[in-house]
Amino acid sequence: MRRMPTVKDVAEQAGVSVGTVSRVLAGEAAVKPALREKVTDAIAALGYRPNVTARALRTSKTDVIGLIVPDITNPFFAQMAASIESAAMQRKHTVMLASSHNDPEAERHHISAFLDRSVCGIIVAASSQGPHLPGDLPIPIISLDRRFADFPLVSTNHAQAASLMADHLYGLGHRRIAYIAGPPDTEVGRLRQQGFVDRLRRLGETGEAVDLTIYPGKFDYESGEMIAREVLSLAPDKRPTAIAAASDQQAIGALRAASDLKIDVPRELSIAGFDDISLAKLVVPRLTTVCQPVEKLAMRAVALLFGGSFTAKDEMIDGSLIARGSTAPRCD
Amino acid sequence: MRRMPTVKDVAEQAGVSVGTVSRVLAGEAAVKPALREKVTDAIAALGYRPNVTARALRTSKTDVIGLIVPDITNPFFAQMAASIESAAMQRKHTVMLASSHNDPEAERHHISAFLDRSVCGIIVAASSQGPHLPGDLPIPIISLDRRFADFPLVSTNHAQAASLMADHLYGLGHRRIAYIAGPPDTEVGRLRQQGFVDRLRRLGETGEAVDLTIYPGKFDYESGEMIAREVLSLAPDKRPTAIAAASDQQAIGALRAASDLKIDVPRELSIAGFDDISLAKLVVPRLTTVCQPVEKLAMRAVALLFGGSFTAKDEMIDGSLIARGSTAPRCD
DNA sequence: CTGAAAGCGCTTACAG
DNA sequence: CTGAAAGCGCTTACAG
């Protein structure tokens, strides 16, 4: 195992000082072309690669962005992680990805680990309200999708997006609707529910009233399936004609429940999700859902990080409705 | 933004030398209890945290494991990543996750990035054959699920697992079978196909022969859907009574195609996957598949890394068949 | 424009 | 058992 070449080796080979080597590495203009060339030649000859650890120690800066998601096995966050990585790559940065398994403890741990490694910034899709971090952090932190502590948030305009679904279902004639909500202790859960409920109420004030029942759950498949099973066990004339869910995973779980109970979707029951994960267009029937602008969210989050501003403002990006086969006009 | 306390600060506060501080940090037995206590007190009082970068520079070692997967949006690898992280955590190690987007170039880039950061080991689920890495690497590399270069591989016994599916389908009476294979340029694709084909041939030799057609594709949803659409466009008496796929994603795509073509699964057509991703039990009908022992694979890969042995042998772990609703006896 | 030197925060022989 | 000192590989004032 050969020792890796260092700036010193390069300097010797090129017949200059290490300072000069460092300067051409940094791309400083102020190096005479003749020397610069000698250095670059030496670098090539030796196969020199800068030691990022030494550089980090010296400058206490790196080119890595820390990313924390609540659960990497959640397709939405997997997609998000991929998009963040692309956005970072475009700026020649690397991302370190950590999954908190929805555990605030793990989340805290990962934040510390990132801080310890002097990442240049952290993006976190929170699984908790976030602890009270010291106000004088050395690096910027951005909340993504789910707010972490009181750091600036880049997210879909959940309320707006959810209201789109309310419009859609109401427009199809549904008046008895069940809403499978996200965890009430998450901002995104509350926002989506609120956007959905408010719009439906507004609609009900000027038109036919809506019979809406809310069932809080978690964002995963299991939760959606369980809740739907309960909801759909009501007598046919009591049960909702449409179920809206706070996530695609819940909606897919609901699809599963409907199938088990031999309830035809969308003929007897409309089901809608939220997120537009890649699976949404593959389930049978294809899922009507709200599309979160994942790429845009990722771009903006990374941009905010580079803005360096510790006083960035929240950014909300509108979602859009994707009508597919799982919703249809009410038919009774 | 306050300066972080260093060993020097701790040493002063405790009235000892930095060497001593470093020794209690390392948990060395050879420090007098009295001093040790002073140091730990000082650490607590100052809220001292070791600078991992400095430590890494000095020792050229860290407690981070680099993990590279071909595609984090593939649920199987997302699950794998989560399992690796747990396994690493149990050993007080951190994992840096990178996704190569099935791009050998990106894969190479990530390997270098990890090497540059002196991770203590790399686990890679390859998206390419792997480049010719210098033989004298400073750290161990383990291939997971898909072999990378010629590094030791921890994987499911793909051939054995695939043969289970052959048994299952043959046992149900299917004699006209389509196999949606993985990319022929991947070892795992070849292995699964081979295990499946060989077993079916063996079965055909002693019993009724099987009419088997192979369709190579990628491992994703789209590929499965496209191929199935083609296969199922054959006349009913020519088309297969069962489709086996090399991945759950392909199988779910096939399910989608069957549904579009109004072919009832499993009454008219059996469909089976491979991986047992969490989604497999949620689609309609629930997917019969082969379960890869993800947790075990993750544990073994991490264990091998810690074995430190650069001469680790390949390890194969048996898969198991999970029969669910998407397969049924042939009925004609 | 370039070199000599200090220093980032640790760990670890080397003495004692 | 403990301290003083060297050194990991860089970057960056400071002179010149």
Side-chain angles (χ1 to χ4, degrees):
Chain A
M1 191 178 104
R2 243 171 31 270
R3 189 177 62 78
M4 295 299 284
T6 70
V7 271
K8 204 172 152 213
D9 300 318
V10 175
E12 271 169 23
Q13 168 100 3
V16 300
S17 74
V18 295
T20 301
V21 174
S22 182
R23 287 186 193 101
V24 347
L25 249 23
E28 261 182 52
V31 176
K32 272 206 184 130
L35 287 196
R36 175 185 302 279
E37 190 178 352
K38 277 196 213 166
V39 171
T40 49
D41 285 355
I43 287 175
L46 264 34
Y48 167 78
R49 298 179 58 88
N51 179 317
V52 293
T53 306
R55 187 174 282 176
L57 176 59
R58 184 54 229 253
T59 63
S60 42
K61 271 199 179 174
T62 61
D63 61 351
V64 1
I65 296 174
L67 171 63
I68 303 177
V69 298
D71 177 12
I72 191 61
T73 67
N74 175 326
F76 174 70
F77 289 113
Q79 188 54 60
M80 188 63 100
S83 298
I84 292 279
E85 197 177 1
S86 305
M89 185 121 57
Q90 283 176 25
R91 295 174 185 252
K92 308 261 182 215
H93 279 238
T94 297
V95 359
M96 267 187 81
L97 173 57
S99 177
S100 62
H101 312 287
N102 279 304
D103 174 6
E105 178 64 35
E107 190 171 82
R108 249 193 310 277
H109 172 84
H110 284 131
I111 295 270
S112 307
F114 283 155
L115 254 17
D116 285 349
R117 283 179 178 73
S118 18
V119 297
C120 66
I122 301 179
I123 298 177
V124 21
S127 62
S128 72
Q129 305 284 17
H132 300 297
L133 252 40
D136 54 353
L137 283 162
I139 54 161
I141 297 186
I142 301 290
S143 312
L144 178 59
D145 185 67
R146 310 185 180 181
R147 189 188 301 276
F148 178 72
D150 45 7
F151 294 105
L153 174 69
V154 174
S155 77
T156 299
N157 187 340
H158 294 292
Q160 170 269 346
S163 76
L164 257 30
M165 190 54 78
D167 284 338
H168 177 69
L169 261 18
Y170 193 90
L172 289 172
H174 296 282
R175 297 295 180 265
R176 203 159 57 241
I177 300 177
Y179 183 74
I180 303 182
D185 61 338
T186 63
E187 190 177 6
V188 37
R190 286 195 302 273
L191 251 23
R192 289 183 191 172
Q193 168 173 339
Q194 188 185 321
F196 188 78
V197 172
D198 284 359
R199 174 57 57 98
L200 237 34
R201 178 175 313 138
R202 187 103 48 91
L203 257 12
E205 279 167 7
T206 57
E208 259 182 284
V210 177
D211 174 6
L212 173 68
T213 319
I214 314 253
Y215 302 84
K218 299 207 290 175
F219 282 117
D220 58 15
Y221 297 116
E222 288 71 22
S223 197
E225 182 174 359
M226 246 180 46
I227 292 172
R229 204 175 289 280
E230 179 192 334
V231 169
L232 297 175
S233 63
L234 296 171
D237 61 323
K238 299 297 249 178
R239 84 158 88 104
T241 63
I243 296 182
S247 81
D248 280 353
Q249 300 198 90
Q250 291 173 329
I252 290 170
L255 234 34
R256 166 81 257 165
S259 160
D260 285 349
L261 297 167
K262 314 262 186 260
I263 297 173
D264 186 85
V265 177
R267 229 176 37 74
E268 300 172 84
L269 173 73
S270 286
I271 293 183
F274 196 113
D275 283 344
D276 195 30
I277 61 179
S278 66
L279 192 65
K281 58 175 102 41
L282 281 150
V283 291
V284 181
R286 293 178 172 85
L287 191 63
T288 292
T289 189
V290 170
C291 176
Q292 291 205 58
V294 176
E295 304 264 314
K296 253 187 231 165
L297 292 169
M299 297 277 295
R300 289 309 302 157
V302 171
L304 251 46
L305 225 47
F306 280 86
S309 164
F310 284 76
T311 60
K313 293 274 160 273
D314 287 1
E315 286 197 22
M316 304 237 278
I317 304 179
D318 281 356
S320 52
L321 185 92
I322 314 272
R324 288 196 274 243
S326 69
T327 52
R330 175 186 55 162
C331 106
D332 30 18
Chain B
M1 192 179 102
R2 242 168 33 269
R3 190 177 61 79
M4 295 297 285
T6 71
V7 271
K8 204 170 152 215
D9 299 319
V10 174
E12 271 169 23
Q13 169 99 4
V16 300
S17 75
V18 295
T20 300
V21 174
S22 182
R23 286 185 194 102
V24 346
L25 247 23
E28 262 182 50
V31 176
K32 275 207 181 129
L35 286 195
R36 174 185 302 280
E37 191 179 353
K38 275 196 212 164
V39 171
T40 49
D41 286 355
I43 287 174
L46 264 35
Y48 167 78
R49 299 178 60 89
N51 179 317
V52 293
T53 305
R55 187 175 283 175
L57 176 58
R58 184 54 229 253
T59 63
S60 42
K61 272 199 177 175
T62 61
D63 61 350
V64 2
I65 295 173
L67 172 63
I68 303 179
V69 298
D71 177 13
I72 191 60
T73 68
N74 175 325
F76 174 70
F77 289 114
Q79 188 55 60
M80 189 62 100
S83 298
I84 292 279
E85 196 177 3
S86 305
M89 185 122 55
Q90 283 175 25
R91 295 174 184 252
K92 308 263 183 217
H93 279 238
T94 297
V95 0
M96 266 186 80
L97 172 57
S99 177
S100 63
H101 312 289
N102 279 304
D103 173 6
E105 177 63 36
E107 190 171 81
R108 248 192 312 277
H109 172 84
H110 285 131
I111 296 269
S112 308
F114 282 154
L115 254 19
D116 285 349
R117 284 180 178 71
S118 18
V119 297
C120 66
I122 302 180
I123 298 176
V124 21
S127 60
S128 72
Q129 305 283 17
H132 300 297
L133 253 39
D136 55 353
L137 284 162
I139 54 160
I141 298 187
I142 301 290
S143 311
L144 178 60
D145 184 68
R146 311 185 180 181
R147 189 189 300 276
F148 178 72
D150 45 7
F151 295 104
L153 173 69
V154 174
S155 77
T156 299
N157 187 338
H158 294 293
Q160 169 270 345
S163 76
L164 258 28
M165 189 54 79
D167 284 338
H168 176 70
L169 261 18
Y170 193 90
L172 288 171
H174 296 283
R175 297 297 179 264
R176 202 159 57 239
I177 300 178
Y179 183 73
I180 303 182
D185 61 338
T186 64
E187 190 177 6
V188 38
R190 287 194 303 274
L191 251 23
R192 289 183 191 172
Q193 169 174 338
Q194 188 184 322
F196 188 78
V197 172
D198 284 359
R199 174 56 57 98
L200 237 34
R201 177 177 314 139
R202 185 105 48 91
L203 257 12
E205 280 166 8
T206 58
E208 259 181 281
V210 176
D211 174 6
L212 174 67
T213 319
I214 314 255
Y215 302 84
K218 298 204 294 175
F219 282 118
D220 58 15
Y221 296 116
E222 288 71 21
S223 197
E225 181 174 358
M226 246 178 45
I227 292 172
R229 204 175 289 279
E230 177 192 335
V231 168
L232 296 176
S233 62
L234 296 173
D237 61 324
K238 298 299 246 179
R239 85 158 87 103
T241 64
I243 296 181
S247 79
D248 281 353
Q249 299 196 89
Q250 291 173 329
I252 290 171
L255 235 32
R256 165 82 258 165
S259 161
D260 285 349
L261 297 168
K262 314 261 184 263
I263 297 173
D264 185 84
V265 177
R267 230 174 36 75
E268 300 172 83
L269 174 73
S270 285
I271 294 183
F274 196 112
D275 284 343
D276 195 29
I277 61 179
S278 67
L279 192 66
K281 57 174 103 42
L282 281 150
V283 290
V284 180
R286 292 177 173 85
L287 191 65
T288 291
T289 189
V290 171
C291 176
Q292 292 205 59
V294 176
E295 305 264 313
K296 254 187 228 162
L297 292 169
M299 297 277 296
R300 290 309 304 157
V302 171
L304 251 47
L305 225 47
F306 281 87
S309 165
F310 285 77
T311 62
K313 293 274 160 272
D314 287 1
E315 287 197 22
M316 303 237 277
I317 305 180
D318 280 357
S320 51
L321 185 91
I322 314 273
R324 287 195 275 242
S326 68
T327 53
R330 176 187 55 162
C331 106
D332 30 20

